[in-house]
């Protein structure tokens, strides 16, 4: 499958059309963004690591019965995916308090959240992805009740699968962001799952192994991503 035209250039990935109107190619670039695009840097190997990481996770989720957009790994930096009609709302599941939740509620970082929380954020960099609720999604036509219920159900099902996968690798899945879209009317997992869009802490030391290393200038960003990849069995 060949790239035809550039459809969309995001902060870390570029989307291309193909000869098949139902399929797109995602190209993972080395660009690394934080604070809604305020800071962007190139990190060697990141495109390749995230592409292979994402393919590995999406394959595990598919095997567990989650509908995902992924079709085939094409190269180090490219994956073939279904063309989804994206829902412009991000779903965030949290198993422990961190990031914006700590800032918003003044709770202690690391506090276990039982049951895990589910939050919705509007995908809008200029507004810094404001938090929204079900009624906003309905009023503005972003997602229906049924679609929201499905997104929540899948987000929690994914939590069970991935918490276990990372736990077996000595890692805590602290939180993560998912994006869904519609493919022939079915809610389908889109975008990516990589250390760019989740928090992972080493169980024994609580060392951050995700994009917080970039956000907080801790260094060793890609080394941490590669270590996580190695531990869960991604072939780099
Ligand atoms: P937050 O603590 O900044 O709200 O983020 C929660 C998790 O979701 C964290 O793992 C980062 C991820 N996330 C993104 O990757 N992109 C986003 O735009 C948002 C809002 C969250
Ligand atoms: N993904 C967003 C950005 O690229 C938010 C973040 O990761 O800080 O800026």
């Amino acid at each position: 499958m060949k790239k035809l035209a550039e459809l969309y250039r995001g902060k870390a990935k570029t989307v291309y059309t193909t000869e098949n109107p139902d399929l797109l190619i995602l190209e993972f670039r080395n660009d690394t963004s934080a604070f809604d695009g305020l800071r962007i840097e190139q990190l060697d190997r990141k495109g390749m690591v995230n592409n292979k990481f994402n393919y590995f996770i999406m394959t595990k989720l598919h095997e567990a019965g989650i509908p995902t957009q992924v079709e085939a790994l094409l190269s180090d930096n490219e994956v073939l995916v279904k063309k989804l009609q994206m829902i412009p709302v991000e779903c965030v599941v949290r198993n422990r308090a961190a990031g914006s939740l700590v800032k918003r509620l003044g709770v202690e970082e690391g506090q276990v959240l039982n049951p895990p929380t589910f939050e919705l954020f509007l995908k809008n960099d200029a507004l810094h992805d404001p938090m929204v609720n079900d009624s906003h999604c309905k009023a503005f036509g972003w997602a229906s009740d049924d679609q929201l219920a499905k997104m929540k159900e899948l987000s929690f099902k994914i939590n069970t699968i991935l918490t276990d996968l990372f736990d077996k690798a000595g890692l805590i899945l602290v939180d993560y962001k998912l994006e869904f879209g519609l493919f022939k009317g079915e809610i389908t997992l889109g975008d990516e799952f990589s250390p760019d869009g989740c928090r992972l802490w080493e169980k024994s030391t609580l060392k951050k192994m995700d994009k917080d290393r970039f956000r907080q200038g801790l260094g060793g960003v890609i080394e941490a991503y590669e270590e996580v990849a190695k531990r869960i069995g991604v072939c780099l």
Side-chain angles (χ1 to χ4, degrees):
M1 191 68 66
K2 279 204 322 260
K3 292 172 183 166
L4 279 189
E6 185 177 311
L7 184 65
Y8 174 78
R9 187 179 164 91
K11 288 175 299 218
K13 298 190 289 302
T14 310
V15 185
Y16 296 90
T17 56
T18 68
E19 299 109 57
N20 185 331
D22 280 339
L23 298 176
L24 299 172
I25 291 174
L26 299 186
E27 181 192 55
F28 287 70
R29 308 194 312 272
N30 287 342
D31 291 327
T32 312
S33 151
F35 314 113
D36 305 310
L38 213 68
R39 207 170 115 217
I40 297 188
E41 283 174 33
Q42 295 271 314
L43 295 181
D44 270 359
R45 306 194 299 286
K46 198 192 75 135
M48 180 272 291
V49 173
N50 276 6
N51 183 35
K52 293 188 175 176
F53 196 108
N54 174 61
Y55 183 75
F56 179 91
I57 295 286
M58 291 287 179
T59 302
K60 292 278 178 207
L61 295 176
H62 171 78
E63 287 166 1
I66 305 285
T68 84
Q69 66 174 357
V70 167
E71 289 282 308
L73 191 67
L74 296 179
S75 70
D76 275 4
N77 293 71
E78 298 162 312
V79 65
L80 186 68
V81 299
K82 296 186 184 83
K83 181 176 185 172
L84 309 185
Q85 188 191 324
M86 292 306 291
I87 291 171
V89 166
E90 303 180 337
C91 299
V92 170
V93 173
R94 299 177 194 268
N95 294 304
R96 294 207 186 208
S100 74
L101 186 75
V102 166
K103 280 202 200 118
R104 201 178 336 123
L105 303 183
V107 294
E108 197 183 330
E109 185 180 71
Q111 184 181 332
V112 174
L113 304 171
N114 190 14
T117 61
F118 179 77
E119 300 165 341
L120 299 166
F121 294 89
L122 178 65
K123 213 174 144 60
N124 185 322
D125 279 340
L127 298 177
H128 299 292
D129 294 349
M131 197 176 181
V132 294
N133 65 25
D134 291 35
S135 70
H136 297 124
C137 292
K138 282 182 279 174
F140 295 110
W142 298 325
S144 69
D145 266 337
D146 284 355
Q147 290 167 347
L148 288 167
K150 192 72 196 173
M151 285 156 66
K152 187 171 178 178
E153 180 201 317
L154 290 174
S155 295
F156 281 129
K157 197 168 166 199
I158 290 167
N159 198 32
T160 308
I161 302 161
L162 296 187
T163 297
D164 181 61
L165 183 145
F166 287 115
D167 180 71
K168 288 188 173 123
L171 297 159
I172 301 168
L173 179 59
V174 172
D175 59 27
Y176 56 90
K177 181 264 299 178
L178 302 172
E179 293 182 32
F180 294 93
L182 291 168
F183 185 74
K184 301 188 193 294
E186 185 186 20
I187 290 284
T188 303
L189 180 62
D191 192 50
E192 69 178 275
F193 191 102
S194 73
D196 267 8
C198 69
R199 289 192 171 92
L200 292 162
W201 296 348
E202 192 170 53
K203 238 196 287 182
S204 51
T205 61
L206 299 185
K207 182 181 169 190
K208 296 179 189 339
M209 306 292 282
D210 53 67
K211 202 164 85 174
D212 269 350
R213 300 202 70 79
F214 178 71
R215 294 189 191 98
Q216 299 174 9
L218 300 174
V221 181
I222 296 311
E223 290 75 7
Y225 287 24
E226 286 171 330
E227 170 66 20
V228 173
K230 191 177 92 187
R231 286 203 204 174
I232 62 173
V234 182
C235 228
L236 294 180

